Amino acid sequence: MESLFGKKYVLREENPYCVKCYESLYSNTCEECKKPIGCNSRDLSYKDHHWHEDCFHCFQCKRSLVDKPFSTKDEQLLCTECYSNEYSSKCHECKKTIMPGSRKMEHKGNSWHETCFTCQRCQQPIGTKSFIPKDNHNYCVPCYEKQFAMQCVHCKKPITTGGVTYHDQPWHKDCFLCTGCKQQLSGQRFTSRDDFAYCLNCFCNLYAKKCASCTTPISGLGGSKYISFEERQWHNDCFNCKKCSVSLVGRGFLTERDDILCPECGKDM
């Protein structure tokens, strides 16, 4: 309640205070030195914490952070350089710190500067383009194909993924087709004739013998059994007596022109 005539004072909510009373009632306490931040000092704040201007410095290197970018860790102030050295990722190629805010590339737990993430062969930055890792190195797709990829025996182009091996030669799945119907053979049963691959349907229709009974092809593939007699063939299930339809597989039989008969039915011949 002392007179303020001729003295310095501070207004708060339109009420005048002498400097001593104002500082004791309203001044913030500095996080660093724990002393009040007086009216004549610059009050720097961050997330409800306050510092004197001279106390606002990096926790590690002690350099001033006034008007400079900074980070925090465990409520401690750190300059960008100290924070990066302590906590930021290191480039897998140059081993230097990847500064916060700079663009970095990541793959399988490793990080690179954008300019360090390059193709092992052409040394050009890979960026967001597709790449293929091999032997702890990364290659852009064109370089990988030139250096490592096998070439399809049909189209002569590189095989980068998947592929089929036939007669010890590499093929694209899309190039390995039936010689007859041109359907893709990858993932299905097939056979060959004169080194040409065929699906089972085409092979049977073109080359398989026909059953003397049902006239459909006898593939003989996959262990299926058939009966052969005097240049005629039958599926096992079709080799039956013409009259009584009993199976004649493993039994004696008689022939009457194009028909086959069991001994019982053959008695009437």
Side-chain angles (χ1 to χ4, degrees), residues 58-263:
C58 174
F59 177 75
Q60 288 191 358
C61 69
K62 306 304 180 185
R63 285 184 292 186
S64 174
L65 297 177
V66 177
D67 298 326
K68 294 179 181 178
F70 64 91
S71 300
T72 60
K73 183 72 174 178
D74 299 329
E75 297 188 355
Q76 301 291 346
L77 300 174
L78 295 169
C79 65
T80 302
E81 185 176 345
C82 287
Y83 182 89
S84 299
N85 291 335
E86 190 73 22
Y87 302 109
S88 293
S89 303
K90 299 293 189 294
C91 176
H92 187 68
E93 178 67 23
C94 69
K95 311 305 179 187
K96 295 180 180 179
T97 299
I98 301 175
M99 301 298 287
S102 61
R103 190 173 183 184
K104 68 177 179 179
M105 316 304 292
E106 294 181 321
H107 176 64
K108 289 188 175 180
N110 293 321
S111 301
W112 290 262
H113 293 107
E114 185 177 17
T115 53
C116 292
F117 191 60
T118 59
C119 170
Q120 177 68 17
R121 189 171 188 266
C122 68
Q123 296 300 308
Q124 294 300 308
I126 294 174
T128 57
K129 295 182 292 186
S130 298
F131 68 94
I132 301 173
K134 182 177 177 62
D135 300 331
N136 296 322
H137 297 298
N138 299 313
Y139 296 84
C140 64
V141 173
C143 284
Y144 181 88
E145 291 177 350
K146 291 176 183 176
Q147 189 160 339
F148 300 110
M150 294 183 295
Q151 287 191 336
C152 173
V153 69
H154 177 72
C155 69
K156 310 304 179 186
K157 295 180 180 180
I159 301 173
T160 56
T161 58
V164 176
T165 299
Y166 176 65
H167 284 181
D168 295 325
Q169 294 178 319
W171 301 67
H172 289 112
K173 289 182 178 181
D174 294 339
C175 293
F176 189 57
L177 307 176
C178 171
T179 305
C181 65
K182 306 303 180 185
Q183 294 297 308
Q184 192 176 123
L185 294 176
S186 176
Q188 64 169 304
R189 295 173 62 199
F190 65 92
T191 187
S192 65
R193 184 180 179 94
D194 301 328
D195 290 333
F196 293 102
Y198 293 88
C199 68
L200 296 191
N201 285 339
C202 286
F203 180 83
C204 290
N205 291 332
L206 291 171
Y207 301 112
K209 297 181 182 298
K210 304 296 190 294
C211 175
S213 176
C214 69
T215 69
T216 59
I218 301 173
S219 69
L221 300 172
S224 60
K225 296 180 180 180
Y226 64 96
I227 308 298
S228 180
F229 176 71
E230 291 183 351
E231 298 183 357
R232 290 189 292 168
Q233 288 77 31
W234 293 261
H235 295 106
N236 260 24
D237 294 338
C238 295
F239 194 60
N240 303 322
C241 175
K242 179 66 174 180
K243 289 187 176 181
C244 69
S245 299
V246 67
S247 173
L248 298 177
V249 176
R251 300 176 57 183
F253 62 91
L254 302 171
T255 62
E256 183 181 12
R257 291 185 296 275
D258 292 336
D259 298 330
I260 55 173
L261 303 169
C262 68

Side-chain angles (χ1 to χ4, degrees), residues 1-4 7-11 15-25 39:
M1 303 304 294
E2 292 182 4
S3 172
L4 295 176
K7 297 180 181 180
K8 186 176 181 180
Y9 65 93
V10 181
L11 281 175
N15 295 314
Y17 294 84
C18 66
V19 172
K20 181 179 179 181
C21 288
Y22 180 85
E23 291 181 349
S24 65
L25 291 171
C39 297

